[in-house]
Amino acid sequence: MLKEERQQYILNQINQNYRVYITTLSTELGVSDDTLRRDLIELDERGLLTKVHGGAVAKSGIPIEFTDRMNTGIEEKQQIASKVIPLFRSGDVLLIDGGTSNLEVARRLPTDMELTVYTNSFPIVNALFNHPKLDLIFLGGKVFPSSQVTVGVSVFQALQTVRPDWLVLGICSVHPHQGLTGPDREEALIKRFMMERAQKRIVLADSHKLNTAEAYSIASLGDVDYLVTEDQKIDYIRQHWPKHSYVLM
């Protein structure tokens, strides 16, 4: 089997099963583990999968640019965002991270609810600018253009002064074993610190994000309090993912 054929087989298995194991591929393809490791490294470098210990898992395939993500999975994001709003009460302090799903949450915050909202997202600030009963605080810092958020030391320093009741975390990949991951190191560090600061943590994950992983670790699924997804994915997660303490919505 040619290398190109072998790598296409690997990608086909990833698309069907969301992950592959080197030991299984070695048996199926009749090649050495070292050969398969080199294949997985090459495919990872090309951005086609994420290599992990013992194999590889799928990438989300979600566009990196915020403006491109605005046009994907619109109905799913709206359905998921609507589930989150009943969790909030007047007087709560919210930390809303960047992301197109999180933007839908911001747009749905009731206009009669008094809240304090911290965010590092330019689009979310714009969405909440005229909300009549919000105390809105923008976490200024280094601009990360592709996600339209701020990152860096200034954001870390600002977060040290707040202990929000709720974090709505923006995430692109959620995996039953790899946990929450992202494609950018600096942004992943900010998200990890947000998880540490919040009392309750909400992760919104449509079907494009499930069973996928990226290069940089943010948190384990055990750190999540509410995992919010599409209705049709709830039974799948209950049946196929390891048991976790989060509330599945």
Side-chain angles (χ1 to χ4, degrees), residues 12-247:
N12 290 342
Q13 293 300 305
I14 284 278
N15 290 334
Q16 291 175 19
N17 304 312
Y18 303 108
R19 73 173 299 151
V20 292
Y21 297 94
I22 288 175
T23 53
T24 303
L25 290 172
S26 179
T27 301
E28 293 173 348
L29 299 176
V31 295
S32 70
D33 290 0
D34 287 340
T35 296
L36 290 166
R37 287 191 188 94
R38 289 193 293 270
D39 283 338
L40 296 182
I41 290 171
E42 181 177 331
L43 292 170
D44 188 312
E45 290 173 346
R46 289 163 55 191
L48 299 175
L49 50 73
T50 298
K51 187 182 182 304
V52 297
H53 181 71
V57 297
K59 284 186 177 292
S60 67
I62 297 172
I64 294 176
E65 295 294 330
F66 184 92
T67 50
D68 294 332
R69 285 184 275 128
M70 284 289 293
N71 299 317
T72 63
I74 296 173
E75 292 184 5
E76 292 90 341
K77 292 171 186 175
Q78 291 173 344
Q79 178 195 121
I80 293 170
S82 67
K83 298 181 180 184
V84 175
I85 301 302
L87 295 174
F88 306 141
R89 298 290 181 268
S90 285
D92 283 349
V93 177
L94 277 57
L95 172 57
I96 307 181
D97 184 27
T100 53
S101 296
N102 291 0
L103 179 58
E104 291 295 337
V105 173
R107 288 169 171 168
R108 283 168 169 71
L109 291 177
T111 56
D112 62 347
M113 185 177 288
E114 295 183 357
L115 298 165
T116 299
V117 176
Y118 288 81
T119 185
N120 63 333
S121 165
F122 291 100
I124 288 173
V125 166
N126 289 333
L128 296 177
F129 194 78
N130 293 316
H131 194 293
K133 293 194 174 184
L134 285 189
D135 188 6
L136 180 61
I137 299 98
F138 180 64
L139 302 171
K142 174 185 173 183
V143 176
F144 187 52
S146 64
S147 295
Q148 297 191 19
V149 297
T150 53
V151 295
V153 174
S154 297
V155 180
F156 272 102
Q157 291 174 335
L159 287 172
Q160 288 173 351
T161 67
V162 62
R163 181 75 165 154
D165 298 297
W166 297 96
L167 166 64
V168 184
L169 186 73
I171 201 71
C172 68
S173 290
V174 183
H175 192 276
H177 304 291
Q178 304 301 317
L180 314 179
T181 57
D184 180 82
R185 178 179 177 273
E186 192 168 14
E187 192 178 20
L189 288 172
I190 291 291
K191 293 177 186 294
R192 186 183 304 170
F193 192 56
M194 287 179 170
M195 292 284 289
E196 293 174 3
R197 297 302 302 164
Q199 297 184 56
K200 294 290 184 179
R201 307 159 192 89
I202 302 169
V203 171
L204 280 63
D206 62 33
S207 57
H208 299 94
K209 302 175 182 179
L210 300 175
N211 293 302
T212 67
E214 297 290 344
Y216 297 100
S217 176
I218 295 167
S220 71
L221 278 176
D223 297 319
V224 175
D225 295 289
Y226 292 84
L227 179 61
V228 190
T229 189
E230 300 154 61
D231 292 341
Q232 62 268 32
K233 287 296 179 179
I234 291 177
D235 286 342
Y236 169 82
I237 292 174
R238 286 174 176 160
Q239 293 173 17
H240 298 284
W241 285 28
K243 301 297 182 184
H244 288 286
S245 59
Y246 55 70
V247 176

